[in-house]
Amino acid sequence: MKLQNDLVLRAARGEAVERTPVWLMRQAGRILAEYRAVREKAGSFIKLATTPELAAEVTVQPVDLLGVDAAIIFSDILVVPEAMGLPYEMVEQRGPVFPRTVRTMADLDSLHIADAEQDLGYVLEALRITKQLLNGRVPLLGFAGAPFTIFCYMTEGKGSKTFSVAKKLLYTDPAFAHALLQQITDSTIAYLKAQVRAGADLVQLFDSWAGILSPEQYSTFSLPYIKQICDAIKADAEVGHTPVTVFAKGAFFAREAIGQLNCDVVGLDWNMDIAESRTLIPGKTLQGNLDPCVLYATPDQIRAEVRQMLNAFGPQRHIANLGHGVYPDTNPDHVRVFIDAVKEFSA
């Protein structure tokens, strides 16, 4: 199906665009009253994420209501550990919680490499339904968590400021750490390839906890596994044409190395200087990187910050986004100001 708006894909591939494309991480979520209504109907976050028709409905909402240039499938990075045999719960006000964790070689016996079609078929069905609902209006993005970020949750059992349990294992049992990371990597490769076959036009890896590692640890316990994923997708004749984005929050020290991966787009958080990043990552499209808190400012302030960001990135090889996900208490009208300003100032 020919896309009516393929700006995100053209920008990702380094092709010329008439204006800068824009979408937001976490755009399908609590900022929208329409999302909250569907979430209430579903009864729980996990029920919403695992019901393909409802997940597709909220995936399309930002396209209709905000005017973004891409839809990103409504799901969660933690569906992968669940598919590997480690289920999680989503607790209100606390976030994800794993009743059971894996911390030893013996614990790995309870896990398996996820079978994308069998274990994650509900996400793939949501992608197929969303593709039909979009009807070629904008690209559909898929995603997964990067292996180290998933490792953090599987070993810690919940969110953390330090992930000290996870990091402790890197020092005390690196063999276990590498074994679990490899299982996650193998599962993620199969999952992302299946997402592309189900209709994803671009896939993004989220390394949300990259910034808690030292540069040396990142090069040992994260980067090699992201490289495996990028290389595996690009080597697959069936899906290798699909652009890949790598977003490693906080890993400012790894930008040059990430830029050398077999990916098309590198996501920047708001602490990463744009001009410096262009120098460190030549020949790649950059995505980002407005501070999500800018959207709490006045519309005039938001417009001024957007103009400054666009001037710094330049008109090509840029996908406008926030430097992380939009915060749930953000005024959706301010989100629209951001999106409209990108379109106006980059045209």
Side-chain angles (χ1 to χ4, degrees), residues 17-333:
V17 292
E18 306 82 61
R19 66 165 175 83
T20 302
V22 56
W23 68 279
L24 295 89
M25 292 178 276
R26 293 197 194 130
Q27 64 188 15
R30 285 179 284 174
I31 58 166
L32 296 173
E34 292 82 357
Y35 163 85
R36 294 194 296 272
V38 179
R39 162 75 170 72
E40 190 172 344
K41 180 169 69 173
S44 71
F45 171 88
I46 289 180
K47 184 70 173 174
L48 174 54
T50 55
T51 305
E53 294 78 11
L54 297 182
E57 182 179 350
V58 297
T59 297
V60 175
Q61 283 176 348
V63 179
D64 295 331
L65 301 170
L66 301 175
V68 288
D69 293 312
I72 182 165
I73 194 66
F74 182 81
S75 186
D76 193 271
I77 63 171
L78 299 182
V79 299
V80 166
E82 182 161 69
M84 293 172 62
L86 198 72
Y88 72 106
E89 302 165 356
M90 193 63 76
V91 180
E92 289 294 334
Q93 309 304 322
R94 280 188 64 196
V97 174
F98 285 84
R100 181 169 59 88
T101 58
V102 287
R103 296 178 182 173
T104 68
M105 282 292 194
D107 291 338
L108 296 183
D109 294 339
S110 66
L111 304 179
H112 62 272
I113 305 301
D115 181 307
E117 297 291 342
Q118 291 277 330
D119 301 317
L120 293 157
Y122 58 91
V123 180
L124 307 181
E125 182 61 17
L127 282 159
R128 287 188 280 265
I129 295 171
T130 303
K131 199 75 171 175
Q132 291 179 324
L133 293 175
L134 289 172
N135 197 29
R137 283 182 289 164
V138 296
L140 176 57
L141 314 185
F143 70 91
F148 175 71
T149 287
I150 300 301
F151 174 94
C152 284
Y153 285 106
M154 293 178 77
T155 55
E156 198 92 19
K158 60 185 185 303
S160 166
K161 290 181 179 177
T162 61
F163 282 102
S164 56
V165 172
K167 285 185 68 177
K168 174 184 174 182
L169 288 164
L170 306 183
Y171 290 105
T172 60
D173 198 348
F176 160 78
H178 283 299
L180 177 54
L181 286 163
Q182 191 60 56
Q183 285 196 30
I184 298 167
T185 299
D186 293 342
S187 298
T188 303
I189 288 169
Y191 180 42
L192 288 176
K193 287 184 178 182
Q195 286 189 39
V196 176
R197 290 194 296 269
D201 298 297
L202 177 152
V203 290
Q204 174 160 319
L205 274 172
F206 286 88
D207 206 357
S208 305
W209 299 114
I212 69 169
L213 292 176
S214 68
E216 183 180 358
Q217 282 185 317
Y218 195 75
S219 66
T220 302
F221 293 103
S222 185
L223 210 58
Y225 297 100
I226 295 176
K227 182 179 187 301
Q228 277 190 52
I229 294 168
C230 293
D231 288 348
I233 292 172
K234 292 300 184 181
D236 188 318
E238 187 180 359
V239 303
H241 61 280
T242 305
V244 176
T245 299
V246 175
F247 173 63
K249 185 176 182 294
F252 62 91
F253 49 80
R255 281 173 293 172
E256 186 171 14
I258 291 170
Q260 292 169 4
L261 294 172
N262 202 356
C263 66
D264 305 88
V265 183
V266 177
L268 306 181
D269 67 35
W270 65 92
N271 289 315
M272 297 175 181
D273 182 77
I274 296 166
E276 181 183 56
S277 298
R278 281 278 187 222
T279 301
L280 291 170
I281 313 169
K284 298 268 186 186
T285 295
L286 301 182
Q287 178 174 278
N289 69 337
L290 197 73
D291 184 343
C293 287
V294 168
L295 301 186
Y296 294 128
T298 66
D300 285 345
Q301 286 176 293
I302 295 169
R303 287 170 57 83
E305 293 280 350
V306 168
R307 188 190 287 274
Q308 182 177 330
M309 176 187 74
L310 291 172
N311 287 342
F313 275 107
Q316 303 296 327
R317 279 202 174 275
H318 176 218
I319 298 170
N321 208 311
L322 303 178
H324 198 221
V326 60
Y327 297 140
D329 61 343
T330 304
N331 183 337
D333 288 336

